[in-house]
Amino acid sequence: MDTIASLFSFITTPVSWVIVQFHTVYGAIFGPNTGWAWGLSIVSLVILIRICLIPLFVKQIKSTRAMQTLQPEMKKIQERYKNDKQRQSEEMMKLYKETGTNPLSSCLPILAQSPFFFALYHVLNAIATGKTIGVLNESLLASARKAHIFGAPLAAKFTDSSDKVAALGAALTDVRVVTAIMIVLMSASQFYTQRQLMTKNVDTTVKTPFMQQQKMLMYVFPVMFAVFGINFPVGVLVYWLTTNVWTMGQQMYVIRNNPTPGSKAQASYLERLTKHVTQHGKVRRRSEKTIVKAIVAKGRDRNEFERKFINALNKAGLAAQADGTVVKSVAQATAQTEDGAETASAATGAGTTTARRQQPKRQSKSQRQSGGPKQAGGTTSLEKSDEPQDAKPAAAQQASKPGSGTRSKAQSGQRKGGPQRPKSPSKK
């Protein structure tokens, strides 16, 4: 480890300078010789490095998304060469080369921060041996050697002898307990980060060599941290535990807000998005619009979770647009318009029913032949006459009386003012 760290000695001066600047700030608060001042200086160094690596992390996300778009092609290659693993690997590498993707892009942040890690190890090892390095002068070196984190000196290791630990002003038991706890936390955080990536943010419908590599790293990295951790100084363990916690939180944020298509994380994300969109009728964030836009652009190539999302919007009367927005669907608007028209028509009909004139009953043939009351203009009146009974002619009154025995010629079947219809002879 010392040999590897010496290869990055050129970066020890910048790293030591950053630590000293943070120590000046925290030393004014907690005291210059305390473990809090030096420990927080190392934590701040980690945060600063990870902030500087954010552009590289974004590049990693884009490369990962590019790998995800190749999943259908990868699946075809697997099915085509399922009995020839060597040819399958060759076709996969050819596909990576043609599309310009790199399956090892997920390791870029680790590779980028490795020089800072080894430079910090080199600085802390110099503190343990009592040698000045970078911008650490004699006074800062003495202050760092006095700093303890929960009873363990910054430069102490799990494998140090009791005499060496005693020279740093600490007990061997305290050093081993603190370093053991930190090694376990460091390995557990690394394992959990890889596990949530494999179980929640991977399209399980397609199995690729990249997935096999990730699964292998999920078990290899924690073991590596546990093996090498016993040779790390306490300050380096603080550095690596901090960066693992940062990576875990960063990964959780990405999985929750920008999940891999076809993964369990995408199913959970689309369920939350469906609930919000159907409740408010719109997409609120730019990242959500980007995801909706990508789902719409896929068309028939949508996976199961994306189809459920589109169907849920349709059932709610909403439609996803190509620009990522959500609007009320035309069918729903038409249905609402028709419902409104029917409601208005029903209300109008209910209000005019009482004002509509009631249609009279149709007269019988005998009533039409009797030449009933006439309306003005020569048409037969369909309503009862408003004239009193006394105003009617006497003959009409007499004819209308029951039991009078007289009937009009029209009622007896005879024609008015014309030749009479001969009676048919009765049959004997």
Side-chain angles (χ1 to χ4, degrees), residues 22-34 37 41:
F22 282 121
H23 174 262
T24 303
V25 176
Y26 294 120
I29 301 174
F30 302 102
N33 299 329
T34 60
S41 298

PDB file of all heavy atoms in Angstrom, residues 22-34 37 41:
ATOM      1  N   PHE A  22      -9.290  23.500   5.935  1.00  0.00           N
ATOM      2  CA  PHE A  22     -10.475  23.096   6.695  1.00  0.00           C
ATOM      3  C   PHE A  22     -10.165  23.010   8.196  1.00  0.00           C
ATOM      4  O   PHE A  22     -11.006  23.358   9.032  1.00  0.00           O
ATOM      5  CB  PHE A  22     -11.010  21.752   6.190  1.00  0.00           C
ATOM      6  CG  PHE A  22     -11.798  21.847   4.918  1.00  0.00           C
ATOM      7  CD1 PHE A  22     -11.408  21.140   3.788  1.00  0.00           C
ATOM      8  CD2 PHE A  22     -12.929  22.636   4.838  1.00  0.00           C
ATOM      9  CE1 PHE A  22     -12.130  21.221   2.611  1.00  0.00           C
ATOM     10  CE2 PHE A  22     -13.663  22.721   3.653  1.00  0.00           C
ATOM     11  CZ  PHE A  22     -13.260  22.020   2.544  1.00  0.00           C
ATOM     12  N   HIS A  23      -8.946  22.552   8.533  1.00  0.00           N
ATOM     13  CA  HIS A  23      -8.571  22.450   9.943  1.00  0.00           C
ATOM     14  C   HIS A  23      -8.511  23.828  10.604  1.00  0.00           C
ATOM     15  O   HIS A  23      -8.832  23.972  11.796  1.00  0.00           O
ATOM     16  CB  HIS A  23      -7.219  21.736  10.065  1.00  0.00           C
ATOM     17  CG  HIS A  23      -6.702  21.712  11.454  1.00  0.00           C
ATOM     18  ND1 HIS A  23      -5.761  22.626  11.939  1.00  0.00           N
ATOM     19  CD2 HIS A  23      -6.988  20.900  12.512  1.00  0.00           C
ATOM     20  CE1 HIS A  23      -5.512  22.377  13.197  1.00  0.00           C
ATOM     21  NE2 HIS A  23      -6.226  21.321  13.573  1.00  0.00           N
ATOM     22  N   THR A  24      -8.111  24.830   9.861  1.00  0.00           N
ATOM     23  CA  THR A  24      -8.086  26.190  10.412  1.00  0.00           C
ATOM     24  C   THR A  24      -9.489  26.642  10.813  1.00  0.00           C
ATOM     25  O   THR A  24      -9.680  27.282  11.865  1.00  0.00           O
ATOM     26  CB  THR A  24      -7.500  27.157   9.377  1.00  0.00           C
ATOM     27  OG1 THR A  24      -6.190  26.718   9.000  1.00  0.00           O
ATOM     28  CG2 THR A  24      -7.417  28.571   9.936  1.00  0.00           C
ATOM     29  N   VAL A  25     -10.473  26.293   9.995  1.00  0.00           N
ATOM     30  CA  VAL A  25     -11.865  26.690  10.285  1.00  0.00           C
ATOM     31  C   VAL A  25     -12.410  25.899  11.468  1.00  0.00           C
ATOM     32  O   VAL A  25     -12.931  26.469  12.435  1.00  0.00           O
ATOM     33  CB  VAL A  25     -12.750  26.488   9.039  1.00  0.00           C
ATOM     34  CG1 VAL A  25     -14.209  26.803   9.367  1.00  0.00           C
ATOM     35  CG2 VAL A  25     -12.260  27.366   7.896  1.00  0.00           C
ATOM     36  N   TYR A  26     -12.293  24.583  11.414  1.00  0.00           N
ATOM     37  CA  TYR A  26     -12.861  23.745  12.478  1.00  0.00           C
ATOM     38  C   TYR A  26     -12.057  23.851  13.775  1.00  0.00           C
ATOM     39  O   TYR A  26     -12.606  23.662  14.868  1.00  0.00           O
ATOM     40  CB  TYR A  26     -12.924  22.286  12.024  1.00  0.00           C
ATOM     41  CG  TYR A  26     -13.890  22.056  10.894  1.00  0.00           C
ATOM     42  CD1 TYR A  26     -13.446  21.536   9.678  1.00  0.00           C
ATOM     43  CD2 TYR A  26     -15.241  22.366  11.017  1.00  0.00           C
ATOM     44  CE1 TYR A  26     -14.324  21.324   8.633  1.00  0.00           C
ATOM     45  CE2 TYR A  26     -16.122  22.166   9.971  1.00  0.00           C
ATOM     46  CZ  TYR A  26     -15.661  21.643   8.779  1.00  0.00           C
ATOM     47  OH  TYR A  26     -16.523  21.444   7.741  1.00  0.00           O
ATOM     48  N   GLY A  27     -10.746  24.139  13.655  1.00  0.00           N
ATOM     49  CA  GLY A  27      -9.942  24.294  14.858  1.00  0.00           C
ATOM     50  C   GLY A  27     -10.356  25.498  15.678  1.00  0.00           C
ATOM     51  O   GLY A  27     -10.251  25.481  16.914  1.00  0.00           O
ATOM     52  N   ALA A  28     -10.847  26.530  15.004  1.00  0.00           N
ATOM     53  CA  ALA A  28     -11.333  27.704  15.728  1.00  0.00           C
ATOM     54  C   ALA A  28     -12.618  27.407  16.482  1.00  0.00           C
ATOM     55  O   ALA A  28     -12.969  28.116  17.436  1.00  0.00           O
ATOM     56  CB  ALA A  28     -11.548  28.859  14.747  1.00  0.00           C
ATOM     57  N   ILE A  29     -13.335  26.362  16.073  1.00  0.00           N
ATOM     58  CA  ILE A  29     -14.607  26.018  16.723  1.00  0.00           C
ATOM     59  C   ILE A  29     -14.412  24.958  17.801  1.00  0.00           C
ATOM     60  O   ILE A  29     -14.876  25.106  18.934  1.00  0.00           O
ATOM     61  CB  ILE A  29     -15.623  25.535  15.662  1.00  0.00           C
ATOM     62  CG1 ILE A  29     -15.862  26.616  14.615  1.00  0.00           C
ATOM     63  CG2 ILE A  29     -16.943  25.135  16.322  1.00  0.00           C
ATOM     64  CD1 ILE A  29     -16.726  26.170  13.454  1.00  0.00           C
ATOM     65  N   PHE A  30     -13.739  23.855  17.456  1.00  0.00           N
ATOM     66  CA  PHE A  30     -13.609  22.717  18.375  1.00  0.00           C
ATOM     67  C   PHE A  30     -12.259  22.656  19.079  1.00  0.00           C
ATOM     68  O   PHE A  30     -12.083  21.837  19.983  1.00  0.00           O
ATOM     69  CB  PHE A  30     -13.830  21.404  17.614  1.00  0.00           C
ATOM     70  CG  PHE A  30     -15.158  21.316  16.932  1.00  0.00           C
ATOM     71  CD1 PHE A  30     -15.271  21.535  15.567  1.00  0.00           C
ATOM     72  CD2 PHE A  30     -16.310  21.019  17.657  1.00  0.00           C
ATOM     73  CE1 PHE A  30     -16.496  21.445  14.933  1.00  0.00           C
ATOM     74  CE2 PHE A  30     -17.536  20.929  17.023  1.00  0.00           C
ATOM     75  CZ  PHE A  30     -17.644  21.152  15.654  1.00  0.00           C
ATOM     76  N   GLY A  31     -11.308  23.445  18.641  1.00  0.00           N
ATOM     77  CA  GLY A  31      -9.961  23.346  19.192  1.00  0.00           C
ATOM     78  C   GLY A  31      -9.024  22.728  18.175  1.00  0.00           C
ATOM     79  O   GLY A  31      -9.402  21.743  17.511  1.00  0.00           O
ATOM     80  N   PRO A  32      -7.796  23.240  18.037  1.00  0.00           N
ATOM     81  CA  PRO A  32      -6.904  22.762  16.962  1.00  0.00           C
ATOM     82  C   PRO A  32      -6.414  21.337  17.146  1.00  0.00           C
ATOM     83  O   PRO A  32      -6.065  20.665  16.165  1.00  0.00           O
ATOM     84  CB  PRO A  32      -5.739  23.764  17.014  1.00  0.00           C
ATOM     85  CG  PRO A  32      -5.753  24.298  18.398  1.00  0.00           C
ATOM     86  CD  PRO A  32      -7.185  24.298  18.841  1.00  0.00           C
ATOM     87  N   ASN A  33      -6.364  20.819  18.379  1.00  0.00           N
ATOM     88  CA  ASN A  33      -5.798  19.492  18.610  1.00  0.00           C
ATOM     89  C   ASN A  33      -6.858  18.400  18.788  1.00  0.00           C
ATOM     90  O   ASN A  33      -6.514  17.270  19.149  1.00  0.00           O
ATOM     91  CB  ASN A  33      -4.902  19.518  19.859  1.00  0.00           C
ATOM     92  CG  ASN A  33      -3.735  20.485  19.706  1.00  0.00           C
ATOM     93  OD1 ASN A  33      -3.239  20.686  18.594  1.00  0.00           O
ATOM     94  ND2 ASN A  33      -3.290  21.069  20.811  1.00  0.00           N
ATOM     95  N   THR A  34      -8.109  18.706  18.554  1.00  0.00           N
ATOM     96  CA  THR A  34      -9.194  17.747  18.778  1.00  0.00           C
ATOM     97  C   THR A  34      -9.407  16.862  17.547  1.00  0.00           C
ATOM     98  O   THR A  34      -9.078  17.238  16.410  1.00  0.00           O
ATOM     99  CB  THR A  34     -10.504  18.475  19.110  1.00  0.00           C
ATOM    100  OG1 THR A  34     -10.854  19.332  18.017  1.00  0.00           O
ATOM    101  CG2 THR A  34     -10.353  19.317  20.376  1.00  0.00           C
ATOM    102  N   ALA A  37     -11.852  18.472  14.931  1.00  0.00           N
ATOM    103  CA  ALA A  37     -11.285  19.414  13.957  1.00  0.00           C
ATOM    104  C   ALA A  37     -10.628  18.679  12.802  1.00  0.00           C
ATOM    105  O   ALA A  37     -10.876  18.989  11.625  1.00  0.00           O
ATOM    106  CB  ALA A  37     -10.281  20.339  14.656  1.00  0.00           C
ATOM    107  N   SER A  41     -12.267  17.863   8.992  1.00  0.00           N
ATOM    108  CA  SER A  41     -11.458  18.331   7.853  1.00  0.00           C
ATOM    109  C   SER A  41     -11.385  17.254   6.773  1.00  0.00           C
ATOM    110  O   SER A  41     -11.478  17.541   5.573  1.00  0.00           O
ATOM    111  CB  SER A  41     -10.053  18.700   8.329  1.00  0.00           C
ATOM    112  OG  SER A  41     -10.099  19.757   9.269  1.00  0.00           O
TER     113      SER A  41
END
